[in-house]
Amino acid sequence: MTPLGAKLARQIVATGPMSLADYMAACLMHPEHGYYATRDPFGVGGDFVTAPEISQMFGELTGLALAQCWLDQGAPAPFVLAEPGPGRGTLMADLLRATRGVPGFHDALRLHLVEASPALRKVQAQTIGRDDIIWHDTIETLPPGPLYLIANEFFDALPIRQFQRGETGWRERMVATGPAGLVPGLGPEGARLDLDHRLGDTRPGDIVETCAPATAIAAEIGARIAEYGGAALIVDYGGWRSLGDTFQAVADHAPTDPFAAPGMADLTAHVDFEALARAAGPAAHTRLCPQGVFLARLGIAARAEALGRGISGAALEAHVAATHRLTGAEEMGTLFKVLGLYPPGAAPPPGLEP
């Protein structure tokens, strides 16, 4: 058992089973043993690769989409350019490079990153290479004003709770201890008013996931956009409504048991985009769009062709493979979705439908 696993086991023995949300939060952000708090997990040398690490085109196209939203809303100045969970800073670096030619955009932006990990903040500073970055532990401390935000694979890492429907109510899936270490279990069955709306589309045995931190953050983003203007692009894997067990762990680019080595693997769950859209009101939201369709609408084919000129051999093969990985239906193109938030009455972000 890992050091964090031993700590959590002692806690469970002393106080009883813990929620999946508390388990996820400890595994990812424990200050001494947490996964994100102790390492750089991104890229080939880490445990997983995100879209910005696959190709510069992802950050370029999403950045230009945000810049077009800024132009469509009258180019407000100054404005907050924000990214929660910026990883290694690759997306933001590509976004800033691609938008240099947008008149006034860089003069007006104030760069804010929401990142709680000291280790990742250092990496982000090196990657982005600016001395005016302002970091925040939480999104609530972003300053007031027009907000243009990109969140890529951020919401999937927020702690979830799972509830399994019974004959007369719901049982929460918990984390307990067993002979082999930490194991999943079920709490007692009871009523949950917050899940009454799911009784019509679930059956006994079905699992529904909720994520209070995600809806709280979406509400904060939506309220700011509705009041001050701006736009948000939320890119993640998931669907319109939660149904089923999507809790998973990845280590060294491969799936693993999420309870086997607490603190040593990335823990995520599919995003419930319907919950985010509802929480973000009074801001307007777009239709949910597959990542491949979104990038195609933004012109990834033309950009890929331009980047492919002048290269050959292995470099060209890698470029073609990266493009396909971002857009292919059997790759990230269908699994990953895009949701846009924007002020009521304004145009939706490019590539997305109201």
Side-chain angles (χ1 to χ4, degrees), residues 65-320:
L66 275 185
Q68 186 62 55
C69 290
W70 177 74
L71 291 171
D72 290 343
Q73 294 179 33
F79 71 90
V80 175
L81 177 62
E83 183 182 2
R88 301 179 65 195
T90 304
L91 188 159
M92 186 55 67
D94 291 338
L95 182 158
L96 291 170
R97 185 185 64 257
T99 54
R100 283 177 187 157
V102 180
F105 188 78
H106 278 232
D107 290 337
L109 72 84
R110 304 294 181 266
L111 183 54
H112 295 260
L113 303 180
V114 182
E115 177 59 70
S117 167
L120 287 177
R121 285 188 181 189
K122 293 180 181 179
V123 177
Q124 291 156 14
Q126 294 172 350
T127 302
I128 297 172
R130 293 174 63 116
D131 57 9
D132 62 345
I133 303 172
I134 300 174
W135 279 276
H136 302 259
D137 289 330
T138 66
I139 207 160
E140 288 80 10
T141 59
L142 290 175
L147 173 65
Y148 294 83
L149 178 143
I150 176 74
N152 179 64
E153 291 200 55
F154 168 72
F155 284 95
D156 64 77
L158 297 179
I160 63 161
R161 296 174 71 181
Q162 287 185 334
F163 298 91
Q164 182 171 313
R165 185 176 168 183
E167 293 295 336
T168 60
W170 299 87
R171 302 180 69 184
E172 183 165 11
R173 303 188 87 195
M174 311 289 284
V175 181
T177 58
L182 300 180
V183 295
L186 287 172
E189 186 169 325
R192 289 200 62 88
L193 296 178
D194 58 326
L195 293 178
D196 277 353
H197 69 291
R198 298 305 309 272
L199 294 176
D201 68 340
T202 57
R203 297 177 296 178
D206 284 347
I207 294 171
V208 170
E209 297 172 343
T210 66
C211 186
T215 53
I217 291 171
E220 181 74 21
I221 295 170
R224 287 170 178 262
I225 289 174
E227 180 176 358
Y228 300 110
L233 294 174
I234 300 171
V235 187
D236 229 311
Y237 51 88
W240 184 245
R241 179 173 292 183
S242 166
L243 183 62
D245 178 8
T246 72
F247 182 51
Q248 56 196 291
V250 172
D252 196 22
H253 300 273
T256 187
D257 181 350
F259 303 102
M264 301 300 291
D266 182 41
L267 303 181
T268 65
H270 284 204
V271 173
D272 182 345
F273 283 96
E274 180 187 35
L276 298 187
R278 292 184 181 277
H285 66 82
T286 67
R287 296 183 182 184
L288 196 60
C289 182
Q291 176 177 292
V293 174
F294 175 66
L295 294 176
R297 290 172 177 172
L298 295 183
I300 192 171
R303 181 58 177 150
E305 182 181 356
L307 288 175
R309 297 190 192 112
I311 61 174
S312 60
L316 181 59
E317 291 177 4
H319 173 58
V320 172

